[in-house]
Amino acid sequence: MNTILEDFYELKEILSSFNTLQKKYNWLLTDLDGSLPDKYLDHFIDYRIYTNGTRESTYWITGEKLTELANKEEIYFAWGVFSAFNKNEHIDLDMLKEEPYADGNPNFWVEKPTIQHPKAITELVLWDSSLVLLLSKDEEIANNFRNKFKEFKDLDMYNKEPFQVIFTT
């Protein structure tokens, strides 16, 4: 189920809509732009921080630790992709071939958007502090999200509407 919110919410509020279902997954965080102080790096199973500008930093975290991190007041993301994987799935950050991204990605604005990483179950996208997208194969997560945010729109239908052009930076 693909969903869009034409409003922006903090990660804490979004995760709370899942009713703890996020804890049954491990999460790959990519294309992040926001505030993630180094003092919280111990929350991650693994991470790669690139400072040369050739590649975005990537993070691998349990759902439990992601929930804990989202509740920290200093944490804020304007952009980012949060991809959920089954707990038995292992992602080697050095061998990551599919690195989900939000900024400049035209594939969200097609008739039927799909989750970027082939092994991911759910993809949560924070779009420029203005939109939230949820693409999910987990119907319970998608339904909980839609029940919490009543102003949601079906992303597939949204993309069929005329003049739905999203500008990227």
Side-chain angles (χ1 to χ4, degrees):
M1 294 176 75
N2 297 332
T3 305
I4 184 169
L5 296 176
E6 293 181 295
D7 204 349
F8 198 74
Y9 294 88
E10 290 183 11
L11 182 60
K12 174 171 82 172
E13 192 168 6
I14 295 166
L15 293 181
S16 75
S17 77
F18 297 161
N19 294 330
T20 72
L21 291 173
Q22 74 275 8
K23 294 179 180 181
K24 73 178 189 179
Y25 297 109
N26 286 334
W27 293 79
L28 175 67
L29 283 54
T30 54
D31 197 26
L32 296 180
D33 183 15
S35 171
L36 179 59
D38 287 348
K39 67 182 180 180
Y40 296 117
L41 291 176
D42 65 343
H43 282 62
F44 296 95
I45 298 168
D46 196 9
Y47 60 88
R48 300 290 181 277
I49 297 177
Y50 303 99
T51 57
N52 60 7
T54 61
R55 193 169 168 201
E56 295 289 334
S57 298
T58 55
Y59 305 86
W60 184 241
I61 191 169
T62 66
E64 294 84 1
K65 287 293 188 179
L66 178 62
T67 303
E68 188 179 308
L69 193 67
N71 287 307
K72 305 290 184 190
E73 288 186 22
E74 312 93 309
I75 305 295
Y76 176 82
F77 301 107
W79 287 95
V81 179
F82 298 75
S83 305
F85 295 80
N86 286 321
K87 288 275 190 180
N88 61 354
E89 190 70 47
H90 174 74
I91 299 293
D92 182 341
L93 297 180
D94 292 323
M95 304 299 288
L96 192 60
K97 292 182 177 141
E98 299 88 2
E99 195 164 323
Y101 70 104
D103 192 1
N105 189 339
N107 295 320
F108 297 120
W109 316 115
V110 298
E111 190 172 326
K112 186 139 180 76
T114 58
I115 295 171
Q116 295 176 71
H117 195 288
K119 293 183 178 180
I121 306 298
T122 294
E123 184 171 275
L124 172 66
V125 180
L126 304 180
W127 184 275
D128 198 20
S129 296
S130 60
L131 301 172
V132 177
L133 308 175
L134 180 72
L135 290 74
S136 187
K137 298 173 191 171
D138 183 329
E139 287 189 30
E140 192 173 2
I141 278 185
N143 286 331
N144 287 349
F145 184 80
R146 287 179 171 200
N147 287 333
K148 165 87 176 196
F149 302 106
K150 300 289 187 194
E151 72 278 15
F152 81 87
K153 293 183 180 180
D154 182 285
L155 181 58
D156 299 349
M157 296 303 293
Y158 179 89
N159 286 340
K160 289 180 182 179
E161 294 175 13
F163 308 110
Q164 290 300 333
V165 177
I166 304 296
F167 295 94
T168 59
T169 55

